[in-house]
Amino acid sequence: MSNKRLFQEFAVPTYEQWREEVEKSLKGASFDAKLLTKTYEGITLQPIYREEDVKDLAHLTGLPGATPYIRGTRGLGVAAKGWEVSQEIGEATPEAFNKAVKHDLERGQTTVNLLLNHAALLGQDTDTGAGMARDNHGVAIFRREDVDVALAGVDLARYPLFLHTGFVTLPMLTLLLAHLEKTGQETTCLKGFVGADPLGTLIADGQLPCPLQDAYEDMAAVVKWANQHAPGLRTIHVMLHPYHNAGANAVQELAFGLAAGVEHIRELLKRGLTIEQIAPKMQFSFSIGSQVFMEISKLRAARLLWSTIIEAYGGSPEAQKMNIHARTSAWTKTVLDPYVNMLRASTEAFSAIIGGIDSLHVSAFDEAIRPANEFSRRIARNTQIILEQEAHLAKVADPAGGSWYVEWLTDQIAQKAWGLFQQVEELGGMLSAIKSGFVQAQIEQVAAKKAENIAQRKDRIVGTNMYPNIEEPPLEKEKFIRGAAQQADASNQATLLQSLQQTRITSPEWIEQAVQAVHAGATLRTLAKAVLSAENAPTSVRPLRKKRAAEAFEGLRQRADQYRENNGHRPTVYLASMGALAKHKARADFSAEFFAVGGFAVLRPAPAASVEEAAAEAIASGASVVAICSDDESYPSIVVPFAQRIKAARPEVVLLLAGLPGTEQMDEYRAAGVDDWIHVRTNAYQMLHDLQERIGVMS
């Protein structure tokens, strides 16, 4: 039977008929209030989408591999060659990195993702202590010998390299080139990405150790060198992670990322490069959050808008392609119930792949707690491999294409991101917008709203602000092994630095001279000093604060755990349940979970037969907090006598009521001794924080 004949057997309801049936099922409740969803991006989501919602969208006729690349930059999408499995390896020493990367490359990893520690990203030697307090993962690189060890036995002609170098590229690139020369590998074999993002570093750290113009001189020199000597290597980074990790919404991430990319282009055009030389060297790195369709649409909109921007600069269709590396969100990961992070990372990886990324890092489930070990690296890596080889996500080009919802949402994100991008341009570009505080203020507004919704548990974090398991043992924090501090010969470094400073980094000979200086012992710090101008005036702005969604509630649990360690027991809540099971169970269940979120032990005895019995048992329990659990009809007869008995015997007890009474009843209950109420609209974080403070958990 043909599809046409099959469908002819059923009447197709109109939207109006569907809505009429839905409104009947709502029994008087508002359709808009119940079924429309307002996102952090300011987009109102409908419960159903139809062909009419997308009939005017111009991009629907596009094909994979064709401008504006909304459906992917390759004709067959990921099916052409899949995506690169680019797991970060943040081992502390070159030896440990080499062991891990060779192990992982034999087991499905396809890219060498060398994560530098913070000192190296600052262009500092590991013996100086710069940035060391912030290092909890990342390889310490001091001189060429460290690169030799880290990449020993790794064929860079076979495996692409992914290496973010901080705010400048030349120092680390020179060490890498010296390694290639020593091992007999050609620079033309390099592929993948080695580059810096001075703007991303600036807003993340709040400071660069040099004028921003120095960083752009470095970027221009590297692009010119790469176009001639390493055509397969991208060298310009646009990191969107700082915006995402500070709490930005998808529109803000995209708009500010595009604006940063345009800032890079402008600076490089000033230095004599063309758009055809610049655009193919750009690498965008996205964080992928938990809202599946929003993240898919964000990536599709990104390619659309970037193609539009490069076309406006006169770039060819090839130059309009956006290369996207993605990592699953650090913002969504939790310390508590950490194995749930595997599920979070899986859905985020799914969104990234469906959205059409070129390479992907899936975060290890213990990322928020400790450097990944072999087990957590394996689980993260295999998540990608399962999605490719068992879920077959690499076999379809743009699988989300044609979905009325996804196409509509892609268009909405693109429109809103373009509007915000234009606001940044009106302020003079991304650097001006950062210096003025516009970018920070925009993100902080959204982050504050997210924090409020998490505190009120409108946004749920499984295992943290909902469904906690307070007895689950925490993961052990593995000892961080730091490499031995290395010392450089100060006299030799001064001589090498003086020699390098005699030639400008814009000179074609500088890199060759720098490579020879590396062979003579020049360290990363010496190379960084040679790149920077004599002025060496730092650039400062107000930084974005990197955070995770769960941090506030994790703090509550941490303090409760410390209280148990100091006192031999957890802070305790007694649930005084009264009445028949149907009267108290729902609120007792709610209360038990509510307090467990804050690390409280919950005593939940069988319901008492009378108010007098319930009060006596609550007093005898010794609990610092007592919560009354019953139904609204029962409360008028039990709350006042119960509260009076509790407060007469133990006035220091914090007495709470499960539910939200009316105004008159509130006054009556307060007069009897009830301190507060807990209900679904309670700011759970603030209530639990105040409780901990009141009963001495904070001390």
Side-chain angles (χ1 to χ4, degrees):
M1 181 180 292
S2 69
N3 287 338
K4 183 176 180 181
R5 181 176 177 82
L6 176 67
F7 284 115
Q8 285 178 339
E9 307 218 357
F10 298 92
V12 179
T14 64
Y15 174 78
E16 289 71 23
Q17 290 172 321
W18 172 85
R19 177 154 179 163
E20 182 180 350
E21 291 300 315
V22 169
E23 289 178 335
K24 286 179 183 177
S25 70
L26 292 174
K27 298 179 180 179
S30 167
F31 178 93
D32 289 358
K34 289 290 185 181
L35 297 181
L36 301 188
T37 303
K38 189 72 172 285
T39 73
Y40 289 112
E41 292 74 17
I43 298 171
T44 300
L45 303 180
Q46 300 290 331
I48 190 172
Y49 286 88
R50 302 168 290 154
E51 187 175 6
E52 295 93 311
D53 295 311
V54 299
K55 62 182 177 66
D56 296 325
L57 300 185
H59 71 253
L60 289 182
T61 58
L63 296 173
T67 56
Y69 301 116
I70 195 168
R71 303 198 64 188
T73 57
R74 288 168 286 179
L76 296 176
V78 291
K81 71 177 188 69
W83 63 91
E84 299 290 354
V85 179
S86 184
Q87 293 296 119
E88 296 170 7
I89 299 178
E91 296 289 347
T93 66
E95 294 83 359
F97 174 86
N98 183 256
K99 180 181 178 181
V101 75
K102 288 196 291 190
H103 176 276
D104 292 1
L105 287 172
E106 292 173 354
R107 292 163 175 81
Q109 180 140 337
T110 63
T111 297
V112 178
N113 193 331
L114 175 57
L115 190 66
L116 297 178
N117 72 358
H118 193 249
L121 291 173
L122 289 174
Q124 298 286 351
D125 296 338
T126 53
D127 65 338
T128 66
M132 298 300 282
R134 291 183 52 175
D135 279 342
N136 60 4
H137 67 298
V139 184
I141 296 294
F142 180 70
R143 50 171 46 125
R144 191 213 67 215
E145 287 78 2
D146 295 326
V147 181
D148 293 342
V149 172
L151 298 178
V154 177
D155 184 359
L156 294 180
R158 179 181 178 186
Y159 297 108
L161 182 62
F162 191 96
L163 174 56
H164 170 64
T165 61
F167 68 103
V168 289
T169 305
L170 278 172
M172 192 63 209
L173 176 64
T174 306
L175 292 180
L176 176 64
L177 296 180
H179 163 75
L180 292 177
E181 188 173 281
K182 181 178 182 295
T183 55
Q185 300 181 73
E186 297 293 330
T187 60
T188 52
C189 78
L190 283 176
K191 53 188 176 182
F193 162 73
V194 178
D197 182 0
L199 279 181
T201 303
L202 177 62
I203 200 165
D205 290 354
Q207 184 167 310
L208 294 183
C210 67
L212 199 60
Q213 296 308 309
D214 284 7
Y216 280 121
E217 290 292 330
D218 169 276
M219 184 182 287
V222 173
V223 171
K224 290 174 183 176
W225 174 88
N227 273 306
Q228 184 175 355
H229 299 283
L233 192 67
R234 294 178 297 280
T235 61
I236 305 167
H237 205 187
V238 182
M239 296 189 301
L240 284 74
H241 310 312
Y243 316 117
H244 177 93
N245 291 334
N249 63 37
V251 165
Q252 291 171 334
E253 289 177 57
L254 183 49
F256 297 145
L258 293 173
V262 168
E263 189 83 23
H264 292 348
I265 288 174
R266 285 202 191 99
E267 292 296 332
L268 295 177
L269 289 173
K270 289 178 187 176
R271 289 162 173 80
L273 289 155
T274 68
I275 194 65
E276 292 297 320
Q277 293 172 314
I278 298 167
K281 294 299 181 187
M282 301 190 77
Q283 173 72 64
F284 286 80
S285 292
F286 285 78
S287 286
I288 307 299
S290 59
Q291 299 300 311
V292 172
F293 293 106
M294 186 67 70
E295 297 302 313
I296 292 170
S297 301
K298 177 178 77 177
L299 295 174
R300 300 174 89 245
R303 288 192 298 273
L304 168 68
L305 295 181
W306 188 245
S307 175
T308 302
I309 288 170
I310 300 303
E311 183 182 27
Y313 275 106
S316 65
E318 187 65 23
Q320 294 172 34
K321 294 179 177 180
M322 173 186 267
N323 191 284
I324 298 176
H325 172 74
R327 79 174 323 274
T328 56
S329 173
W331 192 83
T332 63
K333 303 306 177 290
T334 62
V335 170
L336 302 172
D337 208 350
Y339 296 105
V340 178
N341 290 329
M342 296 182 190
L343 304 178
R344 296 186 178 105
S346 295
T347 61
E348 291 162 2
F350 175 87
S351 298
I353 295 164
I354 299 301
I357 45 83
D358 298 286
S359 59
L360 176 64
H361 163 79
V362 174
S363 52
F365 72 88
D366 51 355
E367 178 183 77
I369 303 167
R370 62 192 185 189
N373 57 28
E374 183 179 331
F375 172 72
S376 58
R377 291 203 323 268
R378 176 168 64 87
I379 296 300
R381 182 177 66 252
N382 284 348
T383 298
Q384 296 205 48
I385 296 170
I386 288 170
L387 290 173
E388 178 186 6
Q389 298 186 12
E390 296 187 22
H392 306 297
L393 297 190
K395 290 190 174 181
V396 180
D398 189 29
S403 160
W404 296 328
Y405 174 36
V406 171
E407 298 291 9
W408 176 88
L409 187 55
T410 298
D411 178 69
Q412 289 291 302
I413 294 173
Q415 288 190 44
K416 288 184 175 293
W418 189 254
L420 183 55
F421 167 77
Q422 289 179 315
Q423 289 184 54
V424 173
E425 290 296 283
E426 289 170 2
L427 291 171
M430 190 60 175
L431 179 59
S432 296
I434 290 172
K435 286 183 173 180
S436 71
F438 173 82
V439 172
Q440 296 90 323
Q442 290 284 311
I443 292 173
E444 286 161 1
Q445 288 178 12
V446 174
K449 183 62 178 175
K450 288 184 177 181
E452 179 185 346
N453 286 342
I454 291 167
Q456 294 179 344
R457 304 199 298 174
K458 293 179 181 178
D459 289 351
R460 298 183 173 188
I461 306 172
V462 173
T464 301
N465 74 352
M466 294 292 291
Y467 316 120
N469 178 6
I470 63 172
E471 298 305 326
E472 181 176 44
L475 292 179
E476 292 185 10
K477 291 188 176 181
E478 299 177 0
K479 185 177 180 181
F480 182 71
I481 301 173
R482 195 183 304 283
Q486 304 179 60
Q487 299 294 328
D489 183 324
S491 176
N492 183 46
Q493 295 304 309
T495 301
L496 292 170
L497 175 60
Q498 185 178 21
S499 174
L500 287 171
Q501 288 177 330
Q502 291 176 359
T503 306
R504 288 179 55 84
I505 63 171
T506 53
S507 169
E509 295 82 26
W510 191 90
I511 290 182
E512 184 177 343
Q513 292 178 11
V515 169
Q516 298 312 308
V518 168
H519 288 312
T523 69
L524 186 66
R525 187 184 191 195
T526 297
L527 294 165
K529 283 184 175 180
V531 167
L532 306 182
S533 65
E535 179 186 352
N536 205 26
T539 304
S540 299
V541 299
R542 181 161 63 87
L544 291 171
R545 179 178 176 266
K546 182 178 179 179
K547 62 189 78 172
R548 290 180 296 105
E551 284 179 3
F553 281 93
E554 289 170 354
L556 294 176
R557 289 275 292 278
Q558 184 179 25
R559 287 187 287 271
D561 290 344
Q562 186 63 50
Y563 180 91
R564 178 176 62 174
E565 186 174 326
N566 295 339
N567 297 276
H569 63 87
R570 289 186 173 279
T572 305
V573 176
Y574 183 91
L575 299 188
S577 300
M578 287 174 269
L581 183 67
K583 291 180 176 293
H584 71 257
K585 186 178 186 304
R587 282 177 172 162
D589 288 346
F590 170 84
S591 300
E593 182 186 64
F594 183 95
F595 293 114
V597 163
F600 287 83
V602 178
L603 302 179
R604 189 175 178 180
S610 66
V611 170
E612 294 78 11
E613 180 183 329
E617 291 178 356
I619 293 165
S621 73
S624 302
V625 181
V626 174
I628 307 170
C629 300
S630 192
D631 64 340
D632 291 340
E633 292 181 359
S634 303
Y635 279 156
S637 63
I638 64 177
V639 172
V640 171
F642 180 88
Q644 290 173 340
R645 283 175 169 78
I646 293 292
K647 291 293 186 174
R650 294 184 59 205
E652 77 281 3
V653 166
V654 180
L655 183 58
L656 302 174
L657 180 75
L660 184 60
T663 304
E664 291 184 9
Q665 288 177 317
M666 280 186 183
D667 294 339
E668 180 185 3
Y669 297 164
R670 282 195 186 277
V674 175
D675 295 291
D676 217 327
W677 355 92
I678 60 170
H679 47 85
V680 292
R681 294 196 295 276
T682 297
N683 185 314
Y685 170 76
Q686 194 61 55
M687 173 68 77
L688 293 166
H689 178 278
D690 293 348
L691 277 179
Q692 287 191 352
E693 191 172 56
R694 184 165 177 175
I695 66 176
V697 174
M698 296 289 189
S699 59

